[in-house]
mmCIF file of all heavy atoms in Angstrom:
data_model
loop_
_atom_site.group_PDB
_atom_site.id
_atom_site.type_symbol
_atom_site.label_atom_id
_atom_site.label_comp_id
_atom_site.label_asym_id
_atom_site.label_seq_id
_atom_site.Cartn_x
_atom_site.Cartn_y
_atom_site.Cartn_z
ATOM 1 N N LYS A 186 -24.940 -18.006 5.562
ATOM 2 C CA LYS A 186 -23.989 -16.933 5.387
ATOM 3 C C LYS A 186 -24.488 -15.883 4.436
ATOM 4 O O LYS A 186 -24.754 -16.245 3.234
ATOM 5 C CB LYS A 186 -22.601 -17.451 4.960
ATOM 6 C CG LYS A 186 -21.950 -18.486 5.899
ATOM 7 C CD LYS A 186 -20.633 -18.890 5.399
ATOM 8 C CE LYS A 186 -19.963 -19.857 6.350
ATOM 9 N NZ LYS A 186 -18.643 -20.323 5.829
ATOM 10 N N ASP A 187 -24.709 -14.694 4.933
ATOM 11 C CA ASP A 187 -25.299 -13.611 4.051
ATOM 12 C C ASP A 187 -26.556 -14.050 3.426
ATOM 13 O O ASP A 187 -26.723 -14.076 2.230
ATOM 14 C CB ASP A 187 -24.242 -13.244 3.001
ATOM 15 C CG ASP A 187 -22.916 -12.664 3.611
ATOM 16 O OD1 ASP A 187 -22.921 -11.611 4.155
ATOM 17 O OD2 ASP A 187 -21.932 -13.424 3.498
ATOM 18 N N VAL A 188 -27.474 -14.465 4.283
ATOM 19 C CA VAL A 188 -28.789 -15.021 3.839
ATOM 20 C C VAL A 188 -29.933 -14.110 4.414
ATOM 21 O O VAL A 188 -29.821 -13.710 5.560
ATOM 22 C CB VAL A 188 -28.945 -16.437 4.390
ATOM 23 C CG1 VAL A 188 -30.359 -16.948 4.062
ATOM 24 C CG2 VAL A 188 -27.928 -17.322 3.722
ATOM 25 N N GLY A 189 -30.896 -13.850 3.593
ATOM 26 C CA GLY A 189 -31.999 -12.961 3.989
ATOM 27 C C GLY A 189 -33.349 -13.523 3.605
ATOM 28 O O GLY A 189 -33.502 -14.254 2.623
ATOM 29 N N PHE A 190 -34.360 -13.149 4.379
ATOM 30 C CA PHE A 190 -35.768 -13.410 4.063
ATOM 31 C C PHE A 190 -36.048 -14.892 3.789
ATOM 32 O O PHE A 190 -36.858 -15.260 2.936
ATOM 33 C CB PHE A 190 -36.214 -12.567 2.890
ATOM 34 C CG PHE A 190 -36.048 -11.105 3.152
ATOM 35 C CD1 PHE A 190 -34.881 -10.417 2.735
ATOM 36 C CD2 PHE A 190 -37.022 -10.371 3.860
ATOM 37 C CE1 PHE A 190 -34.750 -9.026 2.926
ATOM 38 C CE2 PHE A 190 -36.841 -9.011 4.036
ATOM 39 C CZ PHE A 190 -35.688 -8.323 3.653
ATOM 40 N N SER A 191 -35.344 -15.771 4.522
ATOM 41 C CA SER A 191 -35.478 -17.224 4.282
ATOM 42 C C SER A 191 -36.112 -17.863 5.503
ATOM 43 O O SER A 191 -36.238 -17.301 6.570
ATOM 44 C CB SER A 191 -34.105 -17.821 4.015
ATOM 45 O OG SER A 191 -33.565 -17.242 2.843
ATOM 46 N N THR A 192 -36.560 -19.144 5.279
ATOM 47 C CA THR A 192 -37.199 -19.879 6.289
ATOM 48 C C THR A 192 -36.533 -21.202 6.594
ATOM 49 O O THR A 192 -36.258 -21.957 5.641
ATOM 50 C CB THR A 192 -38.703 -20.206 5.883
ATOM 51 O OG1 THR A 192 -39.396 -18.916 5.607
ATOM 52 C CG2 THR A 192 -39.447 -20.996 6.914
ATOM 53 N N ILE A 193 -36.173 -21.369 7.810
ATOM 54 C CA ILE A 193 -35.555 -22.624 8.279
ATOM 55 C C ILE A 193 -36.576 -23.261 9.288
ATOM 56 O O ILE A 193 -36.669 -22.812 10.427
ATOM 57 C CB ILE A 193 -34.190 -22.367 8.967
ATOM 58 C CG1 ILE A 193 -33.365 -21.429 8.139
ATOM 59 C CG2 ILE A 193 -33.487 -23.646 9.290
ATOM 60 C CD1 ILE A 193 -33.006 -21.898 6.802
ATOM 61 N N LYS A 194 -37.240 -24.280 8.865
ATOM 62 C CA LYS A 194 -38.443 -24.709 9.615
ATOM 63 C C LYS A 194 -38.581 -26.213 9.648
ATOM 64 O O LYS A 194 -38.300 -26.936 8.691
ATOM 65 C CB LYS A 194 -39.718 -24.090 8.973
ATOM 66 C CG LYS A 194 -40.985 -24.450 9.674
ATOM 67 C CD LYS A 194 -42.168 -23.746 8.987
ATOM 68 C CE LYS A 194 -43.491 -24.028 9.674
ATOM 69 N NZ LYS A 194 -44.639 -23.340 8.992
ATOM 70 N N ASN A 195 -38.905 -26.742 10.825
ATOM 71 C CA ASN A 195 -39.261 -28.154 11.079
ATOM 72 C C ASN A 195 -38.166 -29.091 10.612
ATOM 73 O O ASN A 195 -38.447 -30.207 10.095
ATOM 74 C CB ASN A 195 -40.553 -28.459 10.282
ATOM 75 C CG ASN A 195 -41.798 -27.852 10.959
ATOM 76 O OD1 ASN A 195 -42.435 -26.996 10.388
ATOM 77 N ND2 ASN A 195 -42.135 -28.350 12.159
ATOM 78 N N ASN A 196 -36.906 -28.684 10.865
ATOM 79 C CA ASN A 196 -35.839 -29.586 10.579
ATOM 80 C C ASN A 196 -35.360 -30.294 11.847
ATOM 81 O O ASN A 196 -35.491 -29.699 12.972
ATOM 82 C CB ASN A 196 -34.684 -28.824 9.967
ATOM 83 C CG ASN A 196 -34.940 -28.170 8.700
ATOM 84 O OD1 ASN A 196 -35.061 -28.781 7.641
ATOM 85 N ND2 ASN A 196 -35.125 -26.816 8.724
ATOM 86 N N THR A 197 -34.833 -31.471 11.764
ATOM 87 C CA THR A 197 -34.117 -32.154 12.863
ATOM 88 C C THR A 197 -32.674 -32.106 12.544
ATOM 89 O O THR A 197 -32.240 -32.628 11.524
ATOM 90 C CB THR A 197 -34.596 -33.600 12.979
ATOM 91 O OG1 THR A 197 -36.022 -33.638 13.308
ATOM 92 C CG2 THR A 197 -33.790 -34.257 14.134
ATOM 93 N N ILE A 198 -31.882 -31.427 13.390
ATOM 94 C CA ILE A 198 -30.478 -31.186 13.174
ATOM 95 C C ILE A 198 -29.709 -31.738 14.355
ATOM 96 O O ILE A 198 -29.759 -31.155 15.444
ATOM 97 C CB ILE A 198 -30.157 -29.708 12.938
ATOM 98 C CG1 ILE A 198 -31.092 -29.191 11.827
ATOM 99 C CG2 ILE A 198 -28.738 -29.442 12.616
ATOM 100 C CD1 ILE A 198 -30.998 -27.667 11.601
ATOM 101 N N SER A 199 -28.942 -32.817 14.151
ATOM 102 C CA SER A 199 -28.383 -33.475 15.298
ATOM 103 C C SER A 199 -27.004 -34.235 14.957
ATOM 104 O O SER A 199 -26.727 -34.446 13.831
ATOM 105 C CB SER A 199 -29.380 -34.549 15.801
ATOM 106 O OG SER A 199 -29.684 -35.506 14.745
ATOM 107 N N TYR A 200 -26.280 -34.437 16.082
ATOM 108 C CA TYR A 200 -25.070 -35.242 16.039
ATOM 109 C C TYR A 200 -24.060 -34.659 15.004
ATOM 110 O O TYR A 200 -23.370 -35.438 14.277
ATOM 111 C CB TYR A 200 -25.310 -36.702 15.692
ATOM 112 C CG TYR A 200 -26.180 -37.361 16.760
ATOM 113 C CD1 TYR A 200 -27.574 -37.467 16.645
ATOM 114 C CD2 TYR A 200 -25.596 -37.845 17.919
ATOM 115 C CE1 TYR A 200 -28.347 -38.133 17.591
ATOM 116 C CE2 TYR A 200 -26.367 -38.399 18.918
ATOM 117 C CZ TYR A 200 -27.707 -38.511 18.763
ATOM 118 O OH TYR A 200 -28.498 -39.130 19.763
ATOM 119 N N ASN A 201 -23.952 -33.371 14.927
ATOM 120 C CA ASN A 201 -22.938 -32.718 14.038
ATOM 121 C C ASN A 201 -21.739 -32.309 14.910
ATOM 122 O O ASN A 201 -21.831 -32.130 16.118
ATOM 123 C CB ASN A 201 -23.550 -31.494 13.367
ATOM 124 C CG ASN A 201 -24.692 -31.869 12.454
ATOM 125 O OD1 ASN A 201 -24.443 -32.474 11.362
ATOM 126 N ND2 ASN A 201 -25.925 -31.674 12.801
ATOM 127 N N GLY A 202 -20.572 -32.179 14.193
ATOM 128 C CA GLY A 202 -19.320 -31.986 14.862
ATOM 129 C C GLY A 202 -19.107 -30.594 15.434
ATOM 130 O O GLY A 202 -18.194 -30.361 16.220
ATOM 131 N N ARG A 203 -19.976 -29.619 14.972
ATOM 132 C CA ARG A 203 -19.879 -28.249 15.517
ATOM 133 C C ARG A 203 -21.244 -27.897 15.938
ATOM 134 O O ARG A 203 -21.908 -28.582 16.709
ATOM 135 C CB ARG A 203 -19.228 -27.305 14.492
ATOM 136 C CG ARG A 203 -17.703 -27.502 14.347
ATOM 137 C CD ARG A 203 -17.151 -26.519 13.314
ATOM 138 N NE ARG A 203 -17.431 -25.142 13.619
ATOM 139 C CZ ARG A 203 -16.721 -24.356 14.430
ATOM 140 N NH1 ARG A 203 -15.688 -24.867 15.073
ATOM 141 N NH2 ARG A 203 -17.096 -23.092 14.647
ATOM 142 N N SER A 204 -21.770 -26.718 15.460
ATOM 143 C CA SER A 204 -23.117 -26.347 15.836
ATOM 144 C C SER A 204 -24.208 -26.910 14.961
ATOM 145 O O SER A 204 -23.936 -27.316 13.811
ATOM 146 C CB SER A 204 -23.200 -24.770 15.753
ATOM 147 O OG SER A 204 -22.382 -24.174 16.699
ATOM 148 N N GLY A 205 -25.418 -27.006 15.459
ATOM 149 C CA GLY A 205 -26.504 -27.427 14.674
ATOM 150 C C GLY A 205 -26.795 -26.474 13.558
ATOM 151 O O GLY A 205 -26.827 -26.850 12.372
ATOM 152 N N ILE A 206 -27.033 -25.180 13.915
ATOM 153 C CA ILE A 206 -27.163 -24.076 12.907
ATOM 154 C C ILE A 206 -26.154 -23.026 13.234
ATOM 155 O O ILE A 206 -26.104 -22.530 14.415
ATOM 156 C CB ILE A 206 -28.583 -23.492 12.987
ATOM 157 C CG1 ILE A 206 -29.629 -24.540 12.668
ATOM 158 C CG2 ILE A 206 -28.714 -22.361 12.019
ATOM 159 C CD1 ILE A 206 -31.106 -24.036 12.803
ATOM 160 N N GLU A 207 -25.350 -22.687 12.327
ATOM 161 C CA GLU A 207 -24.420 -21.543 12.450
ATOM 162 C C GLU A 207 -24.688 -20.505 11.404
ATOM 163 O O GLU A 207 -24.761 -20.746 10.268
ATOM 164 C CB GLU A 207 -22.906 -22.011 12.396
ATOM 165 C CG GLU A 207 -21.907 -20.858 12.344
ATOM 166 C CD GLU A 207 -20.655 -21.109 13.146
ATOM 167 O OE1 GLU A 207 -20.655 -22.020 13.965
ATOM 168 O OE2 GLU A 207 -19.752 -20.369 12.925
ATOM 169 N N THR A 208 -24.754 -19.201 11.931
ATOM 170 C CA THR A 208 -25.093 -18.092 10.976
ATOM 171 C C THR A 208 -23.998 -17.047 11.016
ATOM 172 O O THR A 208 -23.356 -16.882 12.024
ATOM 173 C CB THR A 208 -26.443 -17.482 11.390
ATOM 174 O OG1 THR A 208 -26.268 -16.630 12.522
ATOM 175 C CG2 THR A 208 -27.437 -18.582 11.721
ATOM 176 N N SER A 209 -23.977 -16.304 9.936
ATOM 177 C CA SER A 209 -23.026 -15.184 9.804
ATOM 178 C C SER A 209 -23.693 -14.179 8.864
ATOM 179 O O SER A 209 -23.976 -14.482 7.744
ATOM 180 C CB SER A 209 -21.711 -15.614 9.271
ATOM 181 O OG SER A 209 -20.846 -14.490 8.989
ATOM 182 N N ASN A 210 -23.958 -12.951 9.399
ATOM 183 C CA ASN A 210 -24.533 -11.863 8.609
ATOM 184 C C ASN A 210 -25.896 -12.323 7.958
ATOM 185 O O ASN A 210 -26.024 -12.446 6.724
ATOM 186 C CB ASN A 210 -23.590 -11.472 7.512
ATOM 187 C CG ASN A 210 -22.266 -10.885 8.090
ATOM 188 O OD1 ASN A 210 -22.292 -10.272 9.155
ATOM 189 N ND2 ASN A 210 -21.177 -11.172 7.399
ATOM 190 N N ILE A 211 -26.892 -12.557 8.791
ATOM 191 C CA ILE A 211 -28.210 -12.914 8.329
ATOM 192 C C ILE A 211 -29.247 -11.826 8.698
ATOM 193 O O ILE A 211 -29.079 -11.146 9.632
ATOM 194 C CB ILE A 211 -28.644 -14.293 8.885
ATOM 195 C CG1 ILE A 211 -28.777 -14.189 10.391
ATOM 196 C CG2 ILE A 211 -27.667 -15.378 8.446
ATOM 197 C CD1 ILE A 211 -29.405 -15.450 11.007
ATOM 198 N N ASN A 212 -30.240 -11.709 7.848
ATOM 199 C CA ASN A 212 -31.290 -10.694 8.086
ATOM 200 C C ASN A 212 -32.646 -11.168 7.714
ATOM 201 O O ASN A 212 -32.811 -11.870 6.704
ATOM 202 C CB ASN A 212 -30.945 -9.409 7.325
ATOM 203 C CG ASN A 212 -31.111 -9.546 5.855
ATOM 204 O OD1 ASN A 212 -32.191 -9.312 5.272
ATOM 205 N ND2 ASN A 212 -30.045 -9.975 5.134
ATOM 206 N N ASN A 213 -33.662 -10.889 8.510
ATOM 207 C CA ASN A 213 -35.061 -11.080 8.241
ATOM 208 C C ASN A 213 -35.364 -12.573 7.883
ATOM 209 O O ASN A 213 -36.200 -12.844 7.070
ATOM 210 C CB ASN A 213 -35.526 -10.220 7.084
ATOM 211 C CG ASN A 213 -35.394 -8.690 7.434
ATOM 212 O OD1 ASN A 213 -36.177 -8.193 8.269
ATOM 213 N ND2 ASN A 213 -34.407 -8.054 6.792
ATOM 214 N N ASN A 214 -34.744 -13.457 8.647
ATOM 215 C CA ASN A 214 -34.987 -14.902 8.487
ATOM 216 C C ASN A 214 -35.930 -15.391 9.562
ATOM 217 O O ASN A 214 -36.002 -14.860 10.660
ATOM 218 C CB ASN A 214 -33.707 -15.678 8.434
ATOM 219 C CG ASN A 214 -32.815 -15.290 7.362
ATOM 220 O OD1 ASN A 214 -33.035 -15.617 6.205
ATOM 221 N ND2 ASN A 214 -31.749 -14.551 7.684
#
Side-chain angles (χ1 to χ4, degrees):
K186 300 181 180 180
D187 299 291
V188 174
F190 301 95
S191 296
T192 299
I193 313 300
K194 182 178 182 180
N195 288 112
N196 301 284
T197 299
I198 305 175
S199 59
Y200 297 98
N201 295 289
R203 286 179 55 86
S204 293
I206 300 175
E207 171 140 342
T208 76
S209 175
N210 299 325
I211 63 171
N212 71 91
N213 297 289
N214 299 286

